[in-house]
Amino acid sequence: MNITRENIDALNAVVKVEIVKEDYNDKVEKILVDYRKTANIPGFRKGQVPMGMVKKQYGKAVLVDEVNKLLQDALNKYLTEEKLDVLGQPLPKQQDEINWESDSFAFEFELGLAPEFSVDLKSKTAITHYNIVADDKMIDEQVERIQKQYGKIVSETEVKKDSEITGTFKNEEKEIDNTVTITLDKFKGKATEKKFIGAKVGDVITLKTKGLYEDDHELMNALKIQHDDAHGLDIEVTFTITEINSRELADLDQELFDKLFGKDVVKSASELKAKIKEDAEKQFVQQSDQKLLNDVTEYLVDNTKFDLPAEFLTKWMQVAGEKEMDEATAKEEYEKSEKSLRYQLIEGKLMSDNDLKVDFEDVKTSAKNMIKMQMAQFGQLNPSEKELDDIAARVLGNQEEVRRISEQVVSQKLLNLYKEKANIKTKEMSYEAFVKEVYGDK
């Protein structure tokens, strides 16, 4: 066997594999001998079929199968030994019909090669890493929500600004008939709120669905309709009030603190506020880190320049999926996926250059931490190592979960790298200010 490579350019190559009779003959002969022992051909006893007949009936199929196996094994071994970083899979070049009567065969494969490039984490303009804090306003609002949640329900005769109103939305044409409890602060406009203030049980209020809520999900839940039906819905609905209540705020006492956090964990209103601040800011760290990860990723994709074997990858996409694509569709799919492919290469380069690896212990540790957090939400604060190991073993028995957790571990390792080496500036602000700056004033 002889394997040679011709580099077309820095990103494309052709590998030629030549297979001669000595490479496959012994294996083919052995298989045909075994076939002869078991062949069931009318007119001959088992094991007594003439070898010529066996070769005539099975010889070509066995030869084709063995040559193909030999070819794939040789190609994979060559790519490994030559340490070729290929994109996609080798594509067999079209050739004239193979003469299987010949003793030797030659096959050619096109390769798409990964580009050589370097990654510079030091952007000219510093990338912002937000330090999101829970300000007094947020903490006070959370305290009030807790007091309302655990407070006493008081029946009211008419609707006030902070009332909880139970009633039924109806529209006969759209078959809407849904009973819900609403609060006025959820509505988008002040005009809607004014319609409710002073209303009593039994009153029927007519509302327009267009602009009733900030987004379609609120409308979807209120009317109990599908998301597609909620989008752009512009009809009138009636709301018949059946119950009006208010919440008498719960006292900030030890009984409430124990309900929230367990006995004597929190002992005063100031400790409650400190706990709320701590818990909120832990969650904010995740949002801030995800924003940083997204921003550095975008910077790297936009500023790390290298070429790709686009023509080869488009051809590969045509045949790589379950259904073969035409050239135009493959080109469109390549253009859609190019940015993702670029980031995959950048990510791999960063992992390699900085000796970042993900092993099974990393994945197992991450899985156990995830399980521990989930158990804590249900009040199981101190699970044993055996419990964690047993649950982790079940989770990691699912290959899809292993892949998902592995991706999370990679993201965390890259995030740590960015914090250490990228040009980053820290900006402290409240959560409300963060939402306005990052997502707009919604």
Side-chain angles (χ1 to χ4, degrees):
M1 183 184 300
N2 185 40
I3 303 180
T4 55
R5 180 173 86 247
E6 178 189 357
N7 291 327
I8 308 302
D9 55 37
L11 299 173
N12 296 274
V14 173
V15 168
K16 185 175 183 180
V17 183
E18 295 176 289
I19 296 176
V20 296
K21 189 171 184 179
E22 288 78 8
D23 297 321
Y24 60 80
N25 192 59
D26 288 349
K27 190 70 182 285
V28 169
E29 290 295 326
K30 182 180 183 307
I31 292 171
L32 291 174
V33 167
D34 291 339
Y35 273 29
R36 185 185 182 214
K37 292 175 183 176
T38 57
N40 191 5
I41 295 177
F44 297 94
R45 283 188 297 164
K46 200 170 185 179
Q48 299 299 314
V49 179
M51 180 56 81
M53 187 173 287
V54 172
K55 285 185 176 181
K56 185 176 180 181
Q57 186 161 348
Y58 300 108
K60 184 178 177 181
V62 172
L63 174 64
V64 171
D65 190 44
E66 287 307 308
V67 168
N68 278 325
K69 285 180 185 175
L70 194 61
L71 181 62
Q72 289 304 317
D73 288 345
L75 188 57
N76 291 335
K77 185 179 178 184
Y78 176 79
L79 296 179
T80 302
E81 289 178 348
E82 293 292 309
K83 297 181 180 177
L84 290 177
D85 192 0
V86 299
L87 301 178
Q89 295 291 330
L91 286 177
K93 287 191 75 172
Q94 293 221 346
Q95 60 188 95
D96 296 334
E97 189 173 341
I98 299 170
N99 178 15
W100 292 104
E101 300 298 323
S102 174
D103 287 339
S104 61
F105 310 96
F107 303 90
E108 291 185 333
F109 293 85
E110 295 178 63
L111 303 182
L113 305 177
E116 292 286 338
F117 62 94
S118 59
V119 182
D120 184 7
L121 285 171
K122 294 292 185 183
S123 55
K124 290 180 181 178
T125 303
I127 297 171
T128 301
H129 186 211
Y130 293 92
N131 178 26
I132 309 170
V133 295
D135 59 9
D136 291 342
K137 181 187 174 192
M138 169 176 272
I139 294 168
D140 289 341
E141 287 174 350
Q142 180 62 17
V143 169
E144 186 175 340
R145 276 195 290 272
I146 290 170
Q147 287 181 281
K148 281 184 178 179
Q149 182 182 346
Y150 289 90
K152 181 181 176 184
I153 297 175
V154 179
S155 180
E156 300 285 354
T157 57
E158 64 179 46
V159 174
K160 297 175 184 174
K161 191 168 183 176
D162 60 350
S163 296
E164 294 178 3
I165 311 148
T166 301
T168 304
F169 280 109
K170 284 191 177 183
N171 177 286
E172 288 187 11
E173 183 185 349
K174 296 289 184 179
E175 298 183 343
I176 294 168
D177 187 350
N178 188 46
T179 300
V180 290
T181 298
I182 60 174
T183 54
L184 299 181
D185 61 317
K186 297 293 185 183
F187 290 123
K188 184 177 181 180
K190 293 290 182 184
T192 303
E193 183 181 295
K194 287 178 182 176
K195 287 186 176 185
F196 279 87
I197 298 295
K200 297 177 173 59
V201 171
D203 285 355
V204 179
I205 296 168
T206 301
L207 303 165
K208 285 187 176 296
T209 56
K210 187 176 181 180
L212 188 61
Y213 289 100
E214 283 288 351
D215 65 53
D216 293 340
H217 290 92
E218 294 277 5
L219 186 65
M220 180 178 71
N221 293 332
L223 305 184
K224 203 173 184 181
I225 56 178
Q226 297 297 316
H227 184 274
D228 289 346
D229 295 331
H231 183 66
L233 185 65
D234 187 7
I235 61 171
E236 282 191 346
V237 292
T238 59
F239 185 86
T240 304
I241 299 174
T242 57
E243 192 176 336
I244 304 167
N245 295 308
S246 63
R247 291 267 180 174
E248 191 177 277
L249 298 182
D251 292 331
L252 295 176
D253 56 18
Q254 195 60 49
E255 182 182 355
L256 177 62
F257 303 151
D258 290 349
K259 278 182 185 176
L260 292 170
F261 303 107
K263 186 166 176 59
D264 293 336
V265 174
V266 169
K267 296 183 179 180
S268 66
S270 60
E271 287 185 16
L272 171 65
K273 290 183 178 183
K275 190 78 169 67
I276 290 171
K277 181 179 176 67
E278 178 190 354
D279 291 347
E281 289 179 354
K282 279 182 184 176
Q283 294 180 23
F284 296 158
V285 167
Q286 294 178 357
Q287 285 183 266
S288 174
D289 282 353
Q290 187 60 53
K291 172 65 177 163
L292 177 64
L293 195 62
N294 293 345
D295 287 347
V296 177
T297 297
E298 188 173 340
Y299 161 77
L300 291 173
V301 171
D302 289 344
N303 291 277
T304 306
K305 303 299 182 185
F306 53 82
D307 292 327
L308 289 169
E311 187 178 338
F312 168 83
L313 289 170
T314 302
K315 286 167 66 176
W316 174 69
M317 282 186 165
Q318 281 187 259
V319 297
E322 289 183 10
K323 291 184 179 179
E324 196 163 318
M325 301 180 194
D326 59 40
E327 187 177 349
T329 304
K331 188 174 181 181
E332 187 179 331
E333 285 301 309
Y334 170 73
E335 288 170 355
K336 286 180 186 175
S337 62
E338 183 182 353
K339 192 171 183 177
S340 173
L341 175 57
R342 286 182 177 279
Y343 181 66
Q344 287 175 27
L345 291 170
I346 292 167
E347 182 183 277
K349 179 72 171 168
L350 285 169
M351 296 287 285
S352 173
D353 287 353
N354 295 279
D355 198 27
L356 301 179
K357 297 181 177 67
V358 176
D359 57 29
F360 183 74
E361 281 305 311
D362 291 325
V363 176
K364 183 179 177 182
T365 299
S366 181
K368 287 169 70 173
N369 288 337
M370 176 190 72
I371 293 161
K372 202 170 182 179
M373 286 171 60
Q374 290 173 347
M375 293 176 77
Q377 291 174 1
F378 295 95
Q380 294 175 267
L381 301 177
N382 293 301
S384 68
E385 279 300 307
K386 185 178 185 310
E387 282 180 289
L388 292 173
D389 284 335
D390 288 347
I391 298 172
R394 290 198 293 274
V395 170
L396 299 178
N398 182 328
Q399 288 304 307
E400 187 61 27
E401 280 297 301
V402 172
R403 183 194 61 77
R404 186 181 65 81
I405 296 170
S406 296
E407 288 175 356
Q408 291 175 349
V409 174
V410 168
S411 292
Q412 187 59 52
K413 285 179 182 283
L414 289 172
L415 181 64
N416 294 339
L417 176 70
Y418 299 157
K419 287 180 178 179
E420 179 188 347
K421 295 189 176 182
N423 183 11
I424 291 171
K425 66 177 180 182
T426 301
K427 188 173 183 180
E428 184 175 296
M429 58 176 57
S430 68
Y431 182 71
E432 185 177 3
F434 168 76
V435 171
K436 284 182 180 178
E437 179 163 324
V438 173
Y439 304 108
D441 190 3
K442 296 179 180 179

